[in-house]
Amino acid sequence: MWMPSQLPQLAKPLRDAGFKGDAKTLADVTAAPLSAVVRAGGGTGAFVSPDGLVLTNHHVAYGVIQYNSKPERNLIDDGFIAGDPAAELPANPDFRVLVTVGYDKVTDAVLKDAAGKTGRVYFDAVDRASKAIVADCEQEAGVRCSVANMYYGTDFYRIKQLELRDIRLVYAPPRAIGNYGDEIDNFMWPRHTGDFTLLRAYVGKDGKPAAYSPDNVPYRAPAHLSLAKDGPKADDYAMLAGYPGTTYRHRTAAEFDEQVNWTLPARVAVFDQLIDVIETAGRQDADAKTRYAAQLQSLKNNRKRAAGELEGLRRSDAVRVRAEDERGMLATNVAAKERADIDALAASIAGGSAMRERELLLSLFGSQSQLMRAAITLERLRVESAKPDAERESGYQARDHALIEGVLKQVQRRYAPEVEKALLTALLTRYQQLPDAQRLPGFDAAFGRTPAALKQALDALYASTKLGDEAERLSRFAAAREGRPMAADPLIDLAASLVPVQLALEQERKTRAGEQLRLRPAYMRALFAWRRQQGRALYPDANGTLRVSFGRVDGFSPRDGVQYTPVTTVAGIVEKNTGQVPFDAPKPLLDAIAKGNFAGTEDPVLKTQTVNFLTNLDTTGGNSGSPVLNARGELIGLNFDSNWESVSASWMFDPRYKRAVHVDMRYLRWLMGKVYPAPHLLKEMGDQ
Amino acid sequence: MWMPSQLPQLAKPLRDAGFKGDAKTLADVTAAPLSAVVRAGGGTGAFVSPDGLVLTNHHVAYGVIQYNSKPERNLIDDGFIAGDPAAELPANPDFRVLVTVGYDKVTDAVLKDAAGKTGRVYFDAVDRASKAIVADCEQEAGVRCSVANMYYGTDFYRIKQLELRDIRLVYAPPRAIGNYGDEIDNFMWPRHTGDFTLLRAYVGKDGKPAAYSPDNVPYRAPAHLSLAKDGPKADDYAMLAGYPGTTYRHRTAAEFDEQVNWTLPARVAVFDQLIDVIETAGRQDADAKTRYAAQLQSLKNNRKRAAGELEGLRRSDAVRVRAEDERGMLATNVAAKERADIDALAASIAGGSAMRERELLLSLFGSQSQLMRAAITLERLRVESAKPDAERESGYQARDHALIEGVLKQVQRRYAPEVEKALLTALLTRYQQLPDAQRLPGFDAAFGRTPAALKQALDALYASTKLGDEAERLSRFAAAREGRPMAADPLIDLAASLVPVQLALEQERKTRAGEQLRLRPAYMRALFAWRRQQGRALYPDANGTLRVSFGRVDGFSPRDGVQYTPVTTVAGIVEKNTGQVPFDAPKPLLDAIAKGNFAGTEDPVLKTQTVNFLTNLDTTGGNSGSPVLNARGELIGLNFDSNWESVSASWMFDPRYKRAVHVDMRYLRWLMGKVYPAPHLLKEMGDQ
């Protein structure tokens, strides 16, 4: 996950890996080819024609497809092909394509006022300076700016992006191609999914970003990628650019230890308990089962992710590896001042860890309840609404009111008192067992110190609260949003006693965050020096900014006796097909596979049509839709998934197991050429 | 699955496959090397020393190990090594090793009296002639004889086997090696199991078979196999001999169609329904859950097997392939007389199929109930016991009384009236919906024609029967075994009305079996001719007699994108190890793997210790414990499992998917050399 500016220093490894181009051309994110790589919705996209055609994932553009679907014209199920530009369909108005036009280091400006400060004051100084830089940058019309924090507070960059707001749907395969396998196949190589969609960016006639208008014209892309004529095969060079979200690879050894030996096991255990509570309730009450189906599914997904991450970190022996690495680093000649900061950082991290059981339970106390959360949200909204809008906590500003109202309304479909009480009983019983130092007087007063007291408190609250009634919630919302007192209710009264506790905890967290923002740079500098001594470069942990990864097409052995080959074929689509969602390949696809006309897109060795392929490229969430290029910089793939063994890669990149999953562009060319034909679009992309 | 006598004709294919020996030496089952291959318990074994040392599977010898285990000396968990012959432990008295000493064609004698007969009379004539041959053969002391039916009534062989009755336990690894992975890994390549055990056969001082006596001496084996010095690698020649149980590969196209398009789906559907009945009951009643745990597990296993077989037969397109093959056969010049028999066979099969729904439900009516089954068993026992013992139906003779008593006793632990009623309701509701032609007046009278009548009948029966009480069942058993009338009980009264129905159905089934025994040889002769025309040999379907298969060490691709490598290593044991049963590798094993001293048994390419390997050899149930030999006839493996994809191989051998799973003899040599050492036994086996 290299910053593009690092690549010229990596010219030799790039060349050794097989790259045929000039590493210097990859350094400037505002020039070709990287200026073709854009942020699209929540993922990545790339221009694939001079006229603003953007290739991204079906799942990244899913909201756009859904927005244009109607019962009588279901684009999700049927797919969509715009026969000409006039037929292209406008995206939902909040969908954005962002083109990076500026990328400048602003470390000095961001840290200027923070120097000499500590804790919360340091945090606020950085926050204030960053906001001022953004505000100044956004004076220019049509751009969105941000300040990116690299190497945990060591460097800051101002990123300026053209905000393209008129995006239109051009081509989408049917769901049963674009999302073949859905959740069942998600993370599970081998994959067989045509997870791609084409959009087009439009601008005003003046060439400037504009909201949708029928008069708008296609955006002239600053650069675009060309489709490769041939496809990937094992060991071929490959590279990828995109916007990975968050990684934790440069966290301290103590943080690795906590993640593996406490956080993930604790999450799995408490998720298991909550899953059991909901499943037990669901067996006795069909209505409750329906109401909690989404919450149950989400708990199961989170549980699976946590267990997978734990399994992966253990398999990679991550705690030991990171600890040895850190020991090596600290054994080098680290200056006393830096060493003091590193020690202080460790102390700050340990201070946070001392409260970890409580922190986990309190976060679930909010996220896993419906009525309790509604009451706390209302009270917090009332408190925040007493301040000027700009000073309110994010999430409680005027722009957030519609979202809060939606949450308050959906309680109706997601709440059953007996289940909520059972969930809170599970969490608060655990809370009651915490040592004194972790318990909070406000919570003890509200829920007592014994199971009997807890039961009595919850029974009394849920027997008498009126918040189960939507009108009661919404009338209080009307008052709270204006900072007015709300009509009395037992749950609102409780919230009034808990919100001050919540505010105090937030203050603590921000103070700690400020300290760590101040202290981590010393750790990162020591790590830099250590890596230099090892002859290795160091990328910053992912933070949603443009990064480049290079490597090769590569299968792997997930376990003894099993080898994953790096390229899948249409035979796998037929094997998986059951006719039932999500393995319900469309008849035109099955017919075309049976017919077997793959001329022009056939793999020369496998003698059939390929579908997906694997590389050892470094990705994480946010890399969805990243273009995959060959040694000549031509487009060979579209990133859309990872393998299950790499769920743990947010913490540790283990080259034995970390793989990325891509749509083979030959599959796209075959589908668009012969199955759901759009020859005009292939021609626009330069595929003759 | 060739009969050894066929192998000389297959000398060229054997040589082409890599066999270095003389095919003629494989033809005689009573001479070396095949006389080293024995029937052991329910599987196969092989002599591996001149002194009666028998190598077989841990799971084949499991009863022997269990029989010798005591709370204070748990041989299952700890394994066992006899330091010298005196320490060898006698097996359970019913464990047998059978050495084939005679193998003669007796077709004429078997069919002599059947000529010109049909139906039940044909069946009885064959049965009578076979029993006479066996009785005559068994005049000789110490031998057990049988008549084997080859090619569905075309040929008959008299098989004479020495019945070794004093078998002793010599060496067994701990369960966590011998059964590593248990049910979870069963059928699931890649495997990592040391599924082997060594026994020794003893005879009287006169060299004749004898029951256990401390004075007995080791049996001098007529031949024994030698351990290979090197091990298997991909594409190496391999061959295997053993006693496969039953296959259906030469059944007609109509029978294939019914198996895939009716029998297996119907079994899956009704198993699912019964599983749901038990699981629903278990959620409401913890006691019922415990009582039905074994029945539920068995239903789930049967369901899994049926679904796996169905999946495999569909994947292999078995119905179409068999139908095309049969069409080709019938298009050849089949004589009119033969053609008439083949048509009559088809009509007989169709006649049986007309009642298939009823047959399935009635078999489950018996097997899935406890108290109902007890009542019917008692009444049937009473009826049979009125006849002379030799004329009683097998299963109801004096020798079966202990078994029946055991079944009647275990009802106590496996019965809950509400669950039994729910299971019978599910089955009999299906029965009520059958067309008139399939329903039986006796059942209609007993259970009515409507759900309401059924409920009333079952409620009345289970409210008033006293058979739930063990003493009540056993007192009636005492009467029934002597053919005396039993004390009245509503369920016994019901059984008295159902058993005559059961007897009539049995008569029908035997009549049909007789017809098919008479008619199938015409079908088989046509198939022979067709295969000859194709230049192919034809083996008889498996029937528990000694067969030989040859092929090679071979991985496979279970699905697109996945390749199974053919040899697993100790790394997989560590990967799977959780410390919990069944993945609780013993510490000495884990320590030895970590230590990594594999000198002498290490794979020269993989540079580590191998565990199991795959071949494309043809096996089915009964081949457990079959020795696997290399091109020079040396022992390289011990068969113990198949892959999941070959569950359907009882009907169709698909070379793409059918694999057999073996213990690598290098793993045995390493375990016996360094982990649980028994150097004296390795020396006895010639491994220096």
Side-chain angles (χ1 to χ4, degrees):
Chain A
M1 297 197 176
W2 305 105
M3 292 193 294
S5 57
Q6 295 182 285
L7 293 171
Q9 305 152 241
L10 295 166
K12 182 170 182 322
L14 270 163
R15 215 166 34 240
D16 292 347
F19 182 54
K20 303 291 183 208
D22 180 353
K24 287 198 209 75
T25 63
L26 300 175
D28 185 354
V29 300
T30 67
L34 287 186
S35 55
V37 182
V38 298
R39 203 130 179 47
T44 297
F47 289 119
V48 288
S49 93
D51 291 322
L53 200 61
V54 175
L55 175 66
T56 187
N57 289 143
H58 185 271
H59 78 264
V60 168
Y62 190 78
V64 179
I65 305 167
Q66 191 173 41
Y67 179 78
N68 282 289
S69 284
K70 298 177 188 69
E72 68 278 12
R73 194 190 185 197
N74 188 333
L75 305 190
I76 296 172
D77 282 356
D78 301 339
F80 176 72
I81 306 173
D84 58 43
E88 294 172 5
L89 298 170
N92 38 315
D94 57 340
F95 193 89
R96 296 283 180 278
V97 164
L98 303 177
V99 185
T100 303
V101 293
Y103 189 91
D104 301 285
K105 205 169 194 173
V106 292
T107 310
D108 292 347
V110 169
L111 294 182
K112 180 169 39 101
D113 291 345
K117 311 277 186 357
T118 63
R120 175 75 195 243
V121 183
Y122 188 93
F123 183 91
D124 289 341
V126 169
D127 192 47
R128 217 167 21 243
S130 301
K131 281 178 173 159
I133 290 168
V134 168
D136 181 55
C137 175
E138 289 185 351
Q139 294 291 321
E140 186 180 333
V143 303
R144 181 191 282 194
C145 301
S146 59
V147 170
N149 167 352
M150 302 287 186
Y151 301 109
Y152 293 108
T154 308
D155 281 331
F156 294 86
Y157 288 80
R158 181 188 63 203
I159 296 166
K160 192 201 283 194
Q161 293 173 305
L162 213 55
E163 186 178 24
L164 302 178
R165 291 178 288 153
D166 182 358
I167 309 301
R168 303 189 195 174
L169 180 63
V170 179
Y171 185 103
R175 170 200 53 73
I177 290 175
N179 190 23
Y180 192 63
D182 197 22
E183 282 300 324
I184 297 173
D185 267 11
N186 191 19
F187 284 119
M188 296 299 156
W189 185 258
R191 295 221 48 176
H192 297 88
T193 304
D195 190 354
F196 74 93
T197 288
L198 287 163
L199 306 171
R200 194 186 303 279
Y202 282 77
V203 289
K205 284 185 170 163
D206 58 357
K208 304 273 191 238
Y212 170 75
S213 159
D215 297 335
N216 283 350
V217 296
Y219 172 67
R220 294 292 302 175
H224 73 275
L225 303 175
S226 301
L227 287 171
K229 294 293 171 217
D230 48 9
K233 62 176 195 301
D235 296 327
D236 277 0
Y237 174 87
M239 64 191 299
L240 158 160
Y243 293 86
T246 310
T247 57
Y248 307 90
R249 296 179 191 161
H250 305 322
R251 293 297 181 104
T252 69
E255 288 173 300
F256 269 66
D257 189 312
E258 178 166 58
Q259 182 74 1
V260 173
N261 293 319
W262 189 81
T263 309
L264 292 171
R267 287 167 61 89
V268 168
V270 70
F271 290 155
D272 276 342
Q273 189 181 6
L274 299 178
I275 287 167
D276 186 55
V277 165
I278 296 178
E279 287 187 335
T280 301
R283 277 198 287 274
Q284 288 149 6
D285 179 348
D287 183 51
K289 184 174 179 176
T290 307
R291 288 171 186 270
Y292 281 83
Q295 188 167 335
L296 180 63
Q297 191 52 50
S298 162
L299 277 167
K300 285 184 170 177
N301 285 346
N302 287 333
R303 195 261 182 223
K304 182 180 169 191
R305 284 294 295 268
E309 184 176 325
L310 182 58
E311 184 185 307
L313 291 174
R314 284 182 175 153
R315 183 172 47 222
S316 296
D317 206 2
V319 174
R320 190 189 55 76
V321 170
R322 185 71 256 270
E324 280 183 9
D325 182 41
E326 187 179 270
R327 261 199 301 280
M329 174 183 99
L330 294 176
T332 62
N333 192 13
V334 179
K337 160 78 183 68
E338 299 283 88
R339 186 60 187 246
D341 275 4
I342 292 171
D343 290 347
L345 172 64
S348 172
I349 291 168
S353 298
M355 299 294 151
R356 61 196 184 186
E357 288 82 5
R358 177 177 84 193
E359 292 286 302
L360 174 61
L361 293 173
L362 292 190
S363 75
L364 293 169
F365 176 81
S367 67
Q368 298 299 317
S369 63
Q370 301 292 336
L371 221 55
M372 183 67 80
R373 173 169 51 178
I376 289 173
T377 302
L378 284 166
E379 171 63 9
R380 180 70 184 265
L381 177 64
R382 187 192 66 76
V383 171
E384 296 292 339
S385 298
K387 307 179 201 165
D389 194 66
E391 290 175 25
R392 296 175 193 166
E393 181 71 13
S394 155
Y396 297 93
Q397 294 175 294
R399 58 197 283 259
D400 303 313
H401 286 171
L403 189 65
I404 293 174
E405 187 174 358
V407 170
L408 293 174
K409 282 183 176 169
Q410 83 172 6
V411 167
Q412 222 56 29
R413 287 181 291 110
R414 301 188 161 203
Y415 166 71
E418 290 310 314
V419 184
E420 175 145 331
K421 280 199 289 181
L423 288 167
L424 290 176
T425 300
L427 293 169
L428 291 169
T429 302
R430 280 170 173 261
Y431 170 80
Q432 286 182 335
Q433 292 160 358
L434 294 182
D436 287 352
Q438 288 203 52
R439 284 204 328 284
L440 298 155
F443 272 74
D444 285 354
F447 301 111
R449 294 290 311 273
T450 65
L454 172 60
K455 181 172 187 334
Q456 197 180 6
L458 290 175
D459 284 348
L461 280 168
Y462 284 85
S464 54
T465 181
K466 295 195 178 102
L467 291 191
D469 182 57
E470 180 176 312
E472 295 278 350
R473 291 194 301 276
L474 293 182
S475 73
R476 284 175 182 80
F477 172 62
R481 65 191 288 174
E482 292 166 16
R484 287 190 284 118
M486 290 180 279
D489 182 272
L491 270 182
I492 294 286
D493 294 347
L494 174 71
S497 75
L498 296 184
V499 165
V501 180
Q502 190 186 54
L503 292 170
L505 291 177
E506 276 177 23
Q507 166 69 13
E508 272 181 40
R509 281 184 214 118
K510 282 184 181 166
T511 299
R512 186 166 290 120
E515 267 308 88
Q516 296 185 12
L517 189 64
R518 178 176 77 87
L519 298 168
R520 279 195 201 266
Y523 187 92
M524 292 310 299
R525 283 188 292 270
L527 190 58
F528 262 115
W530 173 229
R531 288 284 177 271
R532 203 173 303 123
Q533 192 173 321
Q534 294 172 314
R536 293 166 59 191
L538 185 74
Y539 52 77
D541 258 318
N543 57 358
T545 59
L546 187 61
R547 304 295 179 89
V548 171
S549 169
F550 63 94
R552 62 193 163 88
V553 178
D554 199 14
F556 71 104
S557 171
R559 53 206 168 94
D560 184 50
V562 181
Q563 186 66 32
Y564 286 157
T565 58
V567 183
T568 63
T569 75
V570 290
I573 295 172
V574 178
E575 282 172 6
K576 289 179 177 175
N577 198 58
T578 61
Q580 303 298 312
V581 177
F583 296 108
D584 54 339
K587 190 166 181 309
L589 175 61
L590 294 173
D591 288 348
I593 293 170
K595 197 173 159 198
N597 176 6
F598 308 131
T601 55
E602 183 176 82
D603 186 275
V605 174
L606 301 173
K607 302 288 183 204
T608 184
Q609 180 59 52
T610 60
V611 178
N612 293 151
F613 68 101
L614 274 184
T615 64
N616 64 359
L617 296 174
D618 194 5
T619 58
T620 194
N623 271 120
S624 284
S626 288
V628 184
L629 310 178
N630 65 15
R632 296 179 302 278
E634 298 160 345
L635 190 63
I636 52 171
L638 179 66
N639 184 63
F640 75 99
D641 197 14
S642 295
N643 55 322
W644 175 245
E645 293 76 8
S646 66
V647 169
S648 54
S650 52
W651 284 77
M652 171 160 282
F653 181 91
D654 186 328
R656 292 171 299 175
Y657 299 113
K658 173 68 186 81
R659 295 294 180 273
V661 178
H662 319 299
V663 181
D664 192 324
M665 284 299 102
R666 293 175 294 185
Y667 185 50
L668 173 147
R669 284 163 52 212
W670 179 67
L671 286 173
M672 294 184 69
K674 291 174 187 160
V675 189
Y676 293 90
H680 59 296
L681 295 173
L682 282 176
K683 189 167 178 226
E684 181 179 344
M685 288 190 274
D687 184 58
Q688 306 295 347
Chain B
M1 297 196 177
W2 305 105
M3 292 191 294
S5 57
Q6 295 182 287
L7 292 171
Q9 303 153 244
L10 294 166
K12 184 171 182 321
L14 269 163
R15 217 167 31 241
D16 292 348
F19 181 55
K20 303 290 184 210
D22 180 353
K24 286 198 211 73
T25 62
L26 301 175
D28 184 354
V29 301
T30 65
L34 288 187
S35 55
V37 182
V38 297
R39 202 130 181 45
T44 298
F47 290 119
V48 289
S49 91
D51 291 323
L53 200 60
V54 175
L55 176 65
T56 187
N57 288 142
H58 185 269
H59 77 266
V60 168
Y62 190 77
V64 179
I65 305 167
Q66 192 172 37
Y67 179 78
N68 283 290
S69 284
K70 299 178 188 68
E72 68 278 13
R73 194 190 183 196
N74 187 333
L75 305 189
I76 297 172
D77 282 356
D78 301 339
F80 175 72
I81 305 173
D84 59 43
E88 294 172 4
L89 299 170
N92 38 315
D94 57 341
F95 193 91
R96 295 284 179 275
V97 163
L98 303 178
V99 185
T100 303
V101 292
Y103 188 90
D104 300 285
K105 206 172 193 171
V106 291
T107 310
D108 293 346
V110 169
L111 294 182
K112 182 171 37 108
D113 291 342
K117 311 275 182 2
T118 63
R120 174 75 195 243
V121 183
Y122 189 94
F123 183 92
D124 288 342
V126 169
D127 192 47
R128 218 167 20 242
S130 301
K131 281 179 174 160
I133 290 167
V134 167
D136 181 55
C137 175
E138 290 186 350
Q139 296 289 321
E140 184 180 335
V143 303
R144 181 191 283 193
C145 301
S146 58
V147 170
N149 167 352
M150 302 285 186
Y151 302 110
Y152 293 109
T154 308
D155 283 330
F156 295 85
Y157 288 79
R158 182 188 61 204
I159 296 166
K160 193 202 281 194
Q161 294 173 306
L162 213 57
E163 187 177 22
L164 302 178
R165 291 178 287 153
D166 181 358
I167 309 300
R168 304 189 194 173
L169 179 63
V170 179
Y171 184 101
R175 171 200 53 74
I177 290 175
N179 191 21
Y180 192 62
D182 196 22
E183 282 301 323
I184 297 174
D185 267 10
N186 191 18
F187 286 119
M188 297 298 158
W189 186 259
R191 295 221 49 174
H192 297 87
T193 304
D195 190 355
F196 73 93
T197 288
L198 287 164
L199 307 172
R200 193 186 304 278
Y202 281 77
V203 289
K205 283 185 169 163
D206 58 358
K208 305 273 191 239
Y212 169 77
S213 158
D215 297 334
N216 284 348
V217 296
Y219 172 67
R220 293 294 301 177
H224 73 273
L225 303 174
S226 301
L227 287 171
K229 294 291 170 221
D230 47 10
K233 62 176 194 300
D235 296 327
D236 276 0
Y237 174 87
M239 64 191 298
L240 157 159
Y243 293 85
T246 311
T247 58
Y248 307 89
R249 293 180 192 162
H250 305 322
R251 292 298 180 103
T252 70
E255 288 173 299
F256 269 67
D257 189 311
E258 178 166 57
Q259 181 75 1
V260 173
N261 292 318
W262 189 80
T263 309
L264 292 170
R267 286 167 62 89
V268 169
V270 70
F271 289 155
D272 277 341
Q273 190 182 3
L274 298 179
I275 287 167
D276 186 55
V277 164
I278 296 178
E279 287 187 335
T280 301
R283 278 199 286 275
Q284 288 148 8
D285 180 348
D287 183 50
K289 185 172 176 176
T290 307
R291 287 170 186 269
Y292 281 83
Q295 188 167 335
L296 180 64
Q297 190 54 49
S298 162
L299 278 167
K300 285 184 170 176
N301 285 346
N302 287 333
R303 197 260 181 225
K304 184 180 169 190
R305 283 295 292 268
E309 184 177 324
L310 182 59
E311 184 184 307
L313 290 175
R314 285 183 174 151
R315 183 171 46 221
S316 296
D317 206 2
V319 174
R320 191 187 57 71
V321 170
R322 186 70 256 270
E324 281 183 10
D325 182 39
E326 186 179 273
R327 261 198 302 282
M329 173 184 97
L330 295 176
T332 60
N333 192 15
V334 178
K337 159 78 182 71
E338 298 284 89
R339 185 62 186 245
D341 276 3
I342 291 172
D343 290 346
L345 172 65
S348 172
I349 290 168
S353 298
M355 299 293 151
R356 64 196 184 188
E357 288 82 4
R358 180 179 81 192
E359 292 287 301
L360 175 62
L361 293 174
L362 291 190
S363 75
L364 293 168
F365 176 81
S367 67
Q368 297 300 314
S369 63
Q370 302 292 338
L371 220 53
M372 183 68 78
R373 173 170 48 178
I376 290 173
T377 302
L378 285 167
E379 171 62 9
R380 181 69 185 265
L381 177 63
R382 188 191 65 76
V383 170
E384 299 290 339
S385 297
K387 308 179 201 166
D389 194 68
E391 289 174 27
R392 294 175 194 167
E393 180 72 13
S394 151
Y396 297 93
Q397 295 175 292
R399 59 197 282 260
D400 303 312
H401 287 172
L403 188 65
I404 293 174
E405 186 175 358
V407 170
L408 292 173
K409 281 184 177 168
Q410 82 172 6
V411 166
Q412 223 54 31
R413 285 181 291 110
R414 300 190 162 200
Y415 166 72
E418 291 309 315
V419 184
E420 175 146 332
K421 281 199 288 180
L423 289 167
L424 291 176
T425 300
L427 293 169
L428 291 169
T429 303
R430 280 170 172 260
Y431 171 79
Q432 288 183 331
Q433 291 160 1
L434 293 183
D436 287 350
Q438 287 203 50
R439 284 205 326 286
L440 299 157
F443 272 74
D444 284 354
F447 301 111
R449 295 287 313 271
T450 65
L454 172 61
K455 181 172 185 335
Q456 200 179 3
L458 290 175
D459 284 348
L461 281 168
Y462 285 86
S464 53
T465 182
K466 294 194 179 105
L467 293 191
D469 183 55
E470 182 175 312
E472 296 277 349
R473 290 194 301 277
L474 293 182
S475 73
R476 285 175 181 80
F477 171 64
R481 65 191 289 175
E482 293 166 17
R484 289 190 284 115
M486 291 180 278
D489 183 273
L491 270 183
I492 295 285
D493 295 347
L494 175 71
S497 74
L498 296 183
V499 164
V501 180
Q502 190 186 54
L503 292 170
L505 292 176
E506 275 177 21
Q507 166 71 12
E508 271 180 41
R509 279 184 215 119
K510 282 184 180 167
T511 300
R512 186 167 289 121
E515 269 307 89
Q516 296 185 11
L517 190 62
R518 179 175 73 87
L519 299 167
R520 277 194 204 266
Y523 188 92
M524 293 308 300
R525 283 188 291 270
L527 189 58
F528 262 116
W530 174 230
R531 288 283 179 272
R532 204 173 303 124
Q533 193 174 319
Q534 293 172 318
R536 292 166 60 192
L538 184 74
Y539 51 78
D541 258 318
N543 59 356
T545 59
L546 186 62
R547 303 295 179 90
V548 171
S549 169
F550 63 94
R552 62 194 163 86
V553 178
D554 198 14
F556 71 105
S557 170
R559 52 202 170 95
D560 186 50
V562 181
Q563 186 67 32
Y564 286 158
T565 57
V567 184
T568 62
T569 74
V570 289
I573 295 172
V574 179
E575 282 172 6
K576 287 178 177 174
N577 197 58
T578 60
Q580 302 299 312
V581 176
F583 296 108
D584 53 338
K587 190 165 183 306
L589 175 62
L590 294 172
D591 287 348
I593 294 170
K595 196 174 162 199
N597 177 7
F598 308 129
T601 55
E602 182 176 82
D603 185 275
V605 175
L606 301 173
K607 303 286 183 207
T608 182
Q609 179 59 51
T610 61
V611 179
N612 294 149
F613 68 103
L614 273 185
T615 64
N616 64 359
L617 296 174
D618 194 4
T619 58
T620 193
N623 271 120
S624 284
S626 288
V628 184
L629 311 178
N630 65 15
R632 294 179 302 277
E634 298 160 344
L635 189 65
I636 53 171
L638 180 65
N639 185 63
F640 75 99
D641 197 13
S642 295
N643 55 322
W644 175 243
E645 293 76 8
S646 66
V647 170
S648 54
S650 53
W651 284 76
M652 171 162 282
F653 181 90
D654 186 329
R656 292 173 297 177
Y657 299 113
K658 173 67 186 80
R659 297 293 181 273
V661 178
H662 320 298
V663 181
D664 192 324
M665 284 299 102
R666 292 175 293 186
Y667 185 49
L668 173 147
R669 285 162 51 212
W670 178 67
L671 287 172
M672 293 184 68
K674 292 176 186 160
V675 188
Y676 293 90
H680 57 298
L681 294 173
L682 283 175
K683 187 163 179 232
E684 180 180 343
M685 289 189 275
D687 187 59
Q688 308 294 348

